[in-house]
Amino acid sequence: MKKEKIYSIWFLMPAFVIFAVFFLIPVLSSFFYSLTIWDFKTFTFCGFDNYVMFFSEPSLNTSLIHTLVYAFMTSGLKVLFAFFIALFLTSKIRTKSFIRSAVFFPNLVSAIAVGITFTTLMHPTKGIINIIIKALGGSTVNFLGDPNIALFSVIAVDVWKGVSIATVIYIAGIQSIDSTYYEAAQIDGATFWQRVWNVTLPMCAPAMDSVIILSLIGGLRCFDLIWAMTGGGPGFATDVIASVVYKQYAAGFYGLSTAGNVIMLVLISIIAFPLQHFLIKREEALS
Amino acid sequence: MNKKKKIQILVGDIVGCALAIIIFIFPFYFMFINSLKDRREANKLSIAFPTSIHWENYLDVLKNNNYQVLIAFKNSFLIMLFAVAVLIIVCSMAGYVVQRRNDKVVNIISTLVMLGLMLPPAILPTIKLLQQLHIYKTMFGIVMIEIALQTPFTLMLYRGFVASVPKELEEAGYIDGCTNFQVFFKIVFPLLKPVSATVIILDAVTIFNDFQNPLYFFNGSKNATVQLTLYNFMGQFASEYNLLFADVIIITIPMLIIFLIFNRKIVDGMVAGAVKG
């Protein structure tokens, strides 16, 4: 029997049809609707007005910068912290399965629940974090109310929630390294940190690439946690593209909202695709 | 092992556990004890033990707004159930063909689907589409959306796993006179059980915890999901932290149970999914 007949294309169709109808078609049509003023029923073509508006209005275009800061900082911190946690959890300590579980659990809790928890822990006067800061002799910080700090507070919580996935990926990468490399390094008299730098780090490059790409895309698309913790405020201090899309939708500016959606898509494409290409190239060069 | 090394490891154990408890477990402890206090005590947001324990907070939350939390639980579970069931069937079939066949048409389709791993969904055009199909704000609509959004990841997991199923088993089926449909569902699909378990857990958790899509596509007082009610509680119970925290705990319990049962499986699944991606 022919391959085409055994592995019939019809097996592929249910999944593809659902995906095409409910994902691809809306994405394609969003390019068109972003050029209009519309209300789901009628539309008026308005050229690039929505985009001009998005990039010229300060309350909107700062969301671009916030999104980039948010994505690159969460990604960078996860790449860094997760590596050391993974290094620690692949050492000879005996409580690693407990620690791994503790690190992993926040990942299963919804962003809204995490947001509520940390909003109270970060309460400007009664929050436990500020009580600790005060007890240590510092002055209290208005984590979510100060426009200069709010974005970084949410970033910290995002890292807290998401560092586990990165850690787990690193652990898998580190465990797959052949132990003969370490033995060879040890015979050559390499210290612990020399082994980490020259063996572990380059050998788990594929894991690191997964962490970078996954956390970067997650950061660029982030909505739930920011919405639960600050709702984009104070003012527009923590507005990211996804929250602008929602706000403009709630305010009835559907064209502007759709343009925001397209801008997010383009931003992710111009960052993620070349980065992935570069990382794969580098991986090939290393191996 | 020498003595110095042993002490090093012991110190590592102690410091590691202490940090893990303070950083990762403490916030949940804080939620839990404050959910048991009365209103005045909870509003102090202290970490002290409650002076008297108020389990009735949980009942109050459940009863609130005409048992809205229970209705939301029912909705969330049904969405999760339908979406995961369909995902398993359609994505296992698709992953099977994508892995086995390597021609142009299949490659184009699978590349298109994999775009969904990166690109964000276009929200307002989706609302328009759902309205045109007369399924906006219906259970069917949100289920289809969740399926479409989880398809890329689920298909990727299945595609990776199908490679480990030997083709000889399929040939034996054809010799016995099975159709390709029978071969898949009677021979191949049962062998995909391990990855199906991973898919069930990961997709169920994602869909249960989803806030953004229900917010856009399933909003309204009657047909809320647990995450939407939790978000609304935030405004409503701004000065009644005990009830707010009780709601957080109630909504987190299903995930805690899943976690305690499938801890290993989830973690392994995450790795499989992430590394192959």
Side-chain angles (χ1 to χ4, degrees), chain A residues 93, chain B residues 3-13:
Chain A
I93 61 155
Chain B
K3 204 163 179 189
K4 195 182 149 210
K5 199 113 203 201
K6 262 188 188 161
I7 291 172
Q8 253 180 10
I9 290 171
L10 188 68
V11 170
D13 271 324

Side-chain angles (χ1 to χ4, degrees), chain B residues 43-249:
Chain B
N43 282 1
K44 288 182 195 152
L45 297 178
S46 83
I47 54 168
F49 240 63
T51 43
S52 59
I53 290 182
H54 296 266
W55 288 106
E56 70 271 15
N57 289 343
Y58 285 83
L59 267 179
D60 288 352
V61 169
L62 291 178
K63 279 191 201 147
N64 181 266
N65 223 340
N66 244 334
Y67 295 95
Q68 201 192 20
V69 174
L70 288 182
I71 296 169
F73 253 106
K74 190 199 79 186
N75 284 335
S76 282
F77 272 115
L78 287 178
I79 294 169
M80 193 169 90
L81 196 74
F82 290 137
V84 171
V86 175
L87 274 166
I88 287 181
I89 296 170
V90 300
C91 291
S92 64
M93 286 164 61
Y96 170 67
V97 169
V98 169
Q99 201 279 326
R100 290 291 199 245
R101 250 172 89 166
N102 213 357
D103 53 58
K104 216 171 175 184
V105 184
V106 172
N107 280 344
I108 290 172
I109 291 179
S110 86
T111 311
L112 280 176
V113 175
M114 287 310 143
L115 280 179
L117 283 176
M118 288 197 175
L119 301 183
I123 287 152
L124 299 201
T126 312
I127 294 180
K128 182 177 166 68
L129 180 85
L130 294 178
Q131 283 182 346
Q132 281 173 329
L133 299 172
H134 301 291
I135 52 172
Y136 180 51
K137 296 199 177 187
T138 63
M139 179 79 77
F140 180 73
I142 185 76
V143 167
M144 293 318 269
I145 299 292
E146 296 287 3
I147 295 170
L149 293 181
Q150 293 306 314
T151 292
F153 176 70
T154 311
L155 197 147
M156 183 182 77
L157 284 183
Y158 273 115
R159 185 187 62 190
F161 199 83
V162 166
S164 69
V165 176
K167 280 187 188 169
E168 288 74 17
L169 289 175
E170 295 169 30
E171 281 155 22
Y174 287 114
I175 291 167
D176 289 344
C178 294
T179 64
N180 54 2
F181 206 69
Q182 286 170 322
V183 165
F184 178 75
F185 278 103
K186 288 192 173 154
I187 299 173
V188 180
F189 186 70
L191 292 170
L192 300 175
K193 220 186 254 162
V195 72
S196 295
T198 308
V199 164
I200 290 172
I201 297 163
L202 295 182
D203 285 350
V205 170
T206 312
I207 294 169
F208 187 84
N209 281 341
D210 190 11
F211 170 70
Q212 191 175 13
N213 296 302
L215 179 68
Y216 281 112
F217 308 122
F218 201 58
N219 213 339
S221 62
K222 271 260 161 64
N223 44 12
T225 67
V226 284
Q227 304 305 333
L228 285 178
T229 54
L230 183 57
Y231 180 74
N232 293 333
F233 269 35
M234 240 169 104
Q236 194 186 336
F237 291 151
S239 62
E240 291 172 277
Y241 283 114
N242 51 345
L243 298 187
L244 183 62
F245 294 160
D247 196 20
V248 171
I249 300 281

Side-chain angles (χ1 to χ4, degrees), chain A:
Chain A
M1 235 190 302
K2 274 176 72 184
K3 217 176 176 178
E4 280 74 27
K5 207 164 170 205
I6 299 177
Y7 305 117
S8 162
I9 200 87
W10 293 109
F11 274 62
L12 195 48
M13 278 306 146
F16 182 63
V17 168
I18 295 175
F19 181 76
V21 170
F22 293 97
F23 185 90
L24 285 182
I25 291 176
V27 165
L28 288 177
S29 60
S30 71
F31 287 99
F32 172 76
Y33 286 119
S34 70
L35 303 173
T36 67
I37 295 167
W38 66 307
D39 63 356
F40 295 142
K41 291 183 188 73
T42 57
F43 62 84
T44 340
F45 195 71
C46 70
F48 285 96
D49 285 2
N50 290 322
Y51 290 97
V52 173
M53 175 87 152
F54 195 100
F55 286 110
S56 59
E57 184 69 43
S59 66
L60 300 177
N61 63 28
T62 48
S63 72
L64 270 176
I65 298 160
H66 296 154
T67 306
L68 289 172
V69 169
Y70 190 92
F72 280 97
M73 273 196 77
T74 50
S75 180
L77 290 172
K78 283 176 195 172
V79 167
L80 190 72
F81 285 138
F83 179 73
F84 287 104
I85 299 175
L87 207 57
F88 182 68
L89 290 180
T90 48
S91 69
K92 287 203 177 71
I93 61 155
R94 277 157 299 184
T95 48
K96 55 183 133 195
S97 71
F98 165 75
I99 298 176
R100 198 179 73 159
S101 301
V103 174
F104 195 80
F105 183 64
N107 197 43
L108 294 185
V109 180
S110 75
I112 303 298
V114 168
I116 290 175
T117 311
F118 274 89
T119 308
T120 52
L121 291 174
M122 289 175 167
H123 192 283
T125 51
K126 297 183 283 183
I128 192 76
I129 300 177
N130 269 320
I131 290 175
I132 294 172
I133 291 175
K134 244 196 295 193
L136 295 175
S139 55
T140 54
V141 183
N142 193 352
F143 287 104
L144 298 170
D146 185 337
N148 297 321
I149 301 175
L151 188 64
F152 300 103
S153 304
V154 184
I155 287 173
V157 178
D158 189 308
V159 173
W160 178 85
K161 185 180 189 311
V163 78
S164 59
I165 296 193
T167 306
V168 168
I169 296 170
Y170 272 125
I171 290 177
I174 293 174
Q175 277 171 347
S176 68
I177 299 172
D178 199 329
S179 63
T180 48
Y181 290 105
Y182 290 107
E183 284 156 19
Q186 208 149 20
I187 290 166
D188 289 345
T191 64
F192 174 77
W193 290 110
Q194 279 175 330
R195 271 176 283 154
V196 168
W197 185 251
N198 294 312
V199 181
T200 314
L201 204 54
M203 295 295 283
C204 70
M208 189 183 280
D209 296 348
S210 297
V211 172
I212 294 172
I213 291 280
L214 280 175
S215 53
L216 205 53
I217 294 172
L220 291 168
R221 288 163 66 159
C222 175
F223 173 76
D224 293 8
L225 190 65
I226 289 182
W227 197 247
M229 290 188 74
T230 64
F236 305 103
T238 56
D239 255 334
V240 290
I241 301 178
S243 68
V244 168
V245 169
Y246 182 75
K247 278 183 176 173
Q248 298 307 324
Y249 158 69
F253 299 116
Y254 295 166
L256 194 55
S257 172
T258 316
N261 219 154
V262 172
I263 291 168
M264 173 156 57
L265 183 138
V266 172
L267 190 69
I268 292 178
S269 305
I270 59 175
I271 293 175
F273 288 115
L275 182 67
Q276 194 177 33
H277 186 75
F278 166 77
L279 292 175
I280 290 171
K281 274 272 147 63
R282 200 195 57 170
E283 236 173 81
E284 280 165 359
L286 275 174
S287 57

